[in-house]
Amino acid sequence: MLYFIQILYVHEGQEETFHSFEDQVLPLLQRHNGVLVYRARPAREAIIATEMGYPYEIHIVTFPAQTDFESYRDDPERTQFLYLKDQSVDQALLIKGAML
């Protein structure tokens, strides 16, 4: 099982655009054997230290295989909404790992 952690930083004032993107693409995970394990919007007070600023959301998603992740990433139904992500997300950090 592969785990992907995504830390998302959203442009101020673009939260609703980001929500629109998420509303369209998160339901597609299941089609590609993905599971949204964790989705959080941490309060600033919850961040003890940072070199990168304050994230808007943090996601943990699992896929059984790299090919499942790639099929989700490249799904045409998902990619048609990337303009919403491009408009709303300032930066995103994607971390790939596995359960030990």
Side-chain angles (χ1 to χ4, degrees):
M1 187 68 64
L2 296 175
Y3 289 80
F4 293 87
I5 301 167
Q6 190 168 40
I7 304 171
L8 297 142
Y9 300 84
V10 172
H11 292 292
E12 190 171 331
Q14 290 295 313
E15 295 83 2
E16 289 305 315
T17 303
F18 177 71
H19 298 168
S20 295
F21 173 70
E22 296 285 274
D23 290 346
Q24 298 299 320
V25 303
L26 289 178
L28 302 175
L29 284 166
Q30 189 174 30
R31 178 188 302 173
H32 302 281
N33 304 311
V35 175
L36 179 62
V37 175
Y38 188 71
R39 180 180 178 193
R41 290 190 190 131
R44 281 186 170 235
E45 309 79 62
I47 307 300
I48 297 167
T50 178
E51 290 280 329
M52 296 184 66
Y54 297 94
Y56 182 72
E57 276 192 6
I58 300 171
H59 299 176
I60 299 176
V61 178
T62 62
F63 291 95
Q66 181 70 28
T67 54
D68 293 312
F69 167 73
E70 291 168 359
S71 68
Y72 169 72
R73 180 195 65 200
D74 300 335
D75 184 318
E77 193 171 339
R78 179 183 174 278
T79 59
Q80 73 177 326
F81 296 106
L82 285 178
Y83 73 95
L84 294 169
K85 182 178 182 183
D86 293 341
Q87 180 180 333
S88 61
V89 174
D90 179 35
Q91 57 182 324
L93 174 62
L94 181 65
I95 303 165
K96 178 181 167 184
M99 179 80 71
L100 300 178

